[in-house]
Amino acid sequence: MPSFRQVGEKQLPHEIIFMSWSPKRDLIALVNKVGEVLLHRLANIQRVWILPPNENTGKEVTCLAWRPDGKILAFGLADTKKVVLCDVEKPESLHSFSVERPVSCMQWMEVTEENSVLKSFYNAEDESSILLPRLPALPKNYNATAKIFSEEKSDEIKLLGDVRLNALVLGGVSGEIEIYAYGMYKIATIVEVFGSCLGLCLSSDLKSLSVITELKTSTTPVVTYFQLDTSLLSEYLPEVTRMARKFTHISTLLQYIKLSLTCMCEAWEEILMQMDSQLTKFVQEKNTTTSVQDEFMDLLLWGKASPELQELLMNQLTVKGLKKLGQAVESSYSTIQKLVISHLQSGSEALLYHLSELKGMALWKQKYEPLGLDAKAIEDAIMSVGSFSLKANELLQVIDSGMKNFKAFFRWLYVAMLRMSEDHVPPELNKMTQNEITFVADFITAHFNEAPELYNQKGKYFNVELVGQYLKDEDDILMSPPRTEGNQWFNFLQNSAPLKESPLLFPYYAEKSLHFVKRQMEAVIDQCLAKPADIIGKSVRQKLCIPLYYASESEEPCPRLISLPSLWNDKSQNLHYVLFRMMESSVTKLFIFRQPTDVSRTVNEAFVAVEFRGSLNSSTCENPEPAHYSCLDARFYEDEVVTLVLRDNTEPEGKDRILALLPLSLVYSDEEADYHFIRDPNKRLEEQCADIPSRTVYLESQWRVLENIKAHYVSVNGIRKVASVVSSANNIFPPAHKTIKRVGPPMRPVLFPDRVIGGHSKGLGLSSNLRHVRVFEMDVEDDGEADEEEEEEVSHSQDVTEEDLDHTTDDAQNNGLEAADVTEESLES
């Protein structure tokens, strides 16, 4: 018989509240009570990285789920009402979005259905990668969140993942359910259930959604099961996949444009406002009636400055300050100009491409009208993107003009200040062409007029620097909009009514800032893409509602997410499973409910109660003992096997917990049942508990006693064939060297997001204070090797002192922000 051999152990500084296994890799994600999200390797519980809580994302984590490919980790936060998508390779937020109410549970599933249309779509190369240039990487040195677009293979690949449709399903505290395609774009808003969502499971064929809620009543909350018909998603799966993929491209591009604009704002420096503030102070302190414009024009024409102007230039602005200001203007403007050309315009062009393709899909009404695609709304979105492109192009013109004028103005003023101080003027600066003089005169005329109304709004009389007004998020109106007098094209459009109303021309908002036009574009696109989520959500219908039982107050306090009931989707037989207990009715029974994902089908033995009687290895006993085993937890190990944690009520603490495997073949027989349970829809299920068919199961050799540990919850990971146990931090015992047998088919990977059950078949037991983690290898081929390591395991499992805990805590705090980057290759190893 294979033995359990301890391969890892870890004392964690804070109690674990959530845990989720990676569906593809040897990694486990943890959330502790202080709001930290941690990623550990399972073999030796080595920490890969830690993401500490912060004000931007939030601190109160409520649920956790892995993307099916194991490359993205999602978690919900109650305090900020956000959902964050985190990169598995490094502790960075790739994407986040807000929800109306806190998310209480989530599931990230992958569609397994295939047909010829889908296969051709999966295998076809994305045309946008051929027709569109690659989005330039954002500079790393401006904004930390821009790093997701600053590396090779990171712009859209990480967020979009595989072409095959996957969906992040979110359940809220008020019963609202939202489905996000690829974890990015909302394709359905469902309001067909009541109560706070405890768990949910969207079937892999997209035909139905199972939901468990806790519905509060005037007396005791009722745990209720709902099955919702989502057949519209299944019927239009190819169309949903194409539409969702296009939506996700658009959502990613909007984020790229937003980050590009953030980088531009950070490239713009406050030093550029120095000229405005100095001139305003000059106006307030000067004693003459001469205007600032006249003062500078006299200096330009006659080379002489008034004492007040000379004081401003030589003592306040200074020659050194002028050179620094000129360098800042040139550096800042050139950086912003590059970002506009390479990032804003590239992102806008890609956005126009995807929206135009989406419009073409919407015009195929037979395929896409039932999903809510509206060609008119998409056309409005295209026009809003065009307006944003026009405003970005206008900013380019302002930057180009400003760089020329500033360069000529600063050069002239620098020479004038050198002459005032009687310093040597370099020969190459001593001459000015007529064009340069004209530039300077135009610059002074345009920007050195005192504006009292501007002082009332901004506390300054001048707006010499024109670029900043485009980049400030708080300003919707430009203080100094570009002049349109003498623009022949603009005048021609104003005088032509047909052209002004033509759908071929993008609207132009001359007096609005770039941020305002961007917000308007985002609002129009959001409105355009929100209709499918509304239409698909309204198509979902409640097909089954079963009040199960009153929520028991006698159950031990525990993290809600890792307690029963639990949900499972059997992809091979297209069945929903629910495992639950009814503590007030029968503490010795585990109840299993199964329902076809196709709401038009039925199944025999939908409800079964499983009871464990007598000694587990005495199935041949003629006089079985009374039932004294209660089921503490149950999770699906794979489609045909359930992992159990049982309590033997006759044994003392330390020997009363049992880990067992329950093959469903022992529960469901192939023979036709003599008795069929007919549920009374007017009663709770627990009121009919006695009528539910019961099976007495003897697990024979598929069990082991969990000695010296108060295990209550279980999770398994079968690809690595490892069992993990989490025990109380103040009760650490030597590892139990027991043996376990397993019969049935080989272990296969499973995925159960947002619960402490994993994507692989590693087993995990949890006790009331979840801090101490052990990992056991379930199959050891060399028994001698296991015996040799026994002494090492025992000595390694000594009690952890308070100093060890403090050291672990300090280590977590000191190294939290120093987690090394993890490559995809290292994670696979």
Side-chain angles (χ1 to χ4, degrees), residues 421-523:
S421 61
E422 298 182 353
D423 289 339
H424 172 69
V425 179
E428 64 272 10
L429 299 178
N430 205 16
K431 297 180 181 179
M432 289 186 66
T433 64
Q434 187 62 41
N435 286 337
E436 291 174 337
I437 295 176
T438 303
F439 269 135
V440 174
D442 291 343
F443 184 82
I444 294 174
T445 304
H447 300 97
F448 282 65
N449 284 321
E450 299 175 25
E453 66 281 359
L454 182 62
Y455 183 81
N456 296 332
Q457 296 178 21
K458 298 292 182 180
K460 61 181 183 178
Y461 287 104
F462 304 93
N463 193 32
V464 178
E465 201 282 314
L466 299 180
V467 174
Q469 62 183 345
Y470 286 85
L471 303 178
K472 290 185 177 180
D473 200 3
E474 65 270 14
D475 295 336
D476 291 343
I477 305 296
L478 298 178
M479 293 297 100
S480 301
R483 296 182 178 181
T484 57
E485 299 89 352
N487 188 316
Q488 296 181 359
W489 172 252
F490 187 82
N491 294 334
F492 176 66
L493 289 181
Q494 293 300 313
N495 297 327
S496 175
L499 282 179
K500 285 176 65 176
E501 300 174 359
S502 172
L504 301 177
L505 299 179
F506 297 135
Y508 173 61
Y509 304 96
E511 297 183 353
K512 300 297 183 180
S513 70
L514 184 65
H515 266 288
F516 173 84
V517 179
K518 186 210 70 161
R519 289 196 301 269
Q520 186 182 55
M521 175 187 69
E522 291 174 338

Side-chain angles (χ1 to χ4, degrees), residues 135 149 154-161 248-249 252-253 354:
L135 292 177
F149 291 104
S154 61
D155 46 6
E156 293 183 278
I157 296 175
K158 280 186 181 178
L159 286 172
L160 292 178
T248 312
H249 274 294
T252 308
L253 287 168
H354 288 294

Side-chain angles (χ1 to χ4, degrees), residues 128 132-133 135 156 246-258 343-359 378 381-386 388-389 517-518 521-522 524-526 529:
S128 62
L132 294 175
L135 292 177
E156 293 183 278
K246 196 60 64 178
F247 284 174
T248 312
H249 274 294
I250 293 170
S251 298
T252 308
L253 287 168
L254 286 175
Q255 185 183 8
Y256 179 81
I257 289 174
K258 180 180 179 180
H343 295 75
L344 278 194
Q345 291 188 338
S346 297
S348 301
E349 290 170 0
L351 202 53
L352 283 172
Y353 170 83
H354 288 294
L355 284 171
S356 299
E357 282 210 332
L358 194 63
K359 180 183 176 182
I378 299 173
I382 292 174
M383 301 302 284
S384 68
V385 176
F388 178 78
S389 298
V517 179
K518 186 210 70 161
M521 175 187 69
E522 291 174 338
V524 174
I525 292 178
D526 287 345
L529 304 186

Side-chain angles (χ1 to χ4, degrees), residues 75-116:
F75 55 92
L77 299 124
D79 48 346
T80 56
K81 299 179 183 178
K82 283 186 175 181
V83 174
V84 177
L85 306 186
C86 183
D87 185 8
V88 69
E89 296 183 13
K90 41 184 95 165
E92 294 177 356
S93 170
L94 290 179
H95 179 66
S96 65
F97 55 88
S98 299
V99 290
E100 291 186 7
R101 294 178 180 84
V103 177
S104 57
C105 60
M106 62 171 59
Q107 176 217 11
W108 207 330
M109 55 77 65
E110 184 176 48
V111 176
T112 58
E113 291 292 303
E114 288 191 0
N115 55 46
S116 57

Side-chain angles (χ1 to χ4, degrees), residues 222 546-550 580 582 584-586 591 677-692:
V222 178
I546 304 177
L548 298 177
Y549 55 90
Y550 281 135
F580 59 97
M582 294 190 285
E584 303 300 328
S585 302
S586 177
F591 294 88
F677 170 66
I678 300 177
R679 181 180 63 87
D680 186 348
N682 298 318
K683 295 181 180 180
R684 296 189 315 278
L685 188 66
E686 67 179 345
E687 297 179 81
Q688 311 167 62
C689 176
D691 300 327
I692 296 177

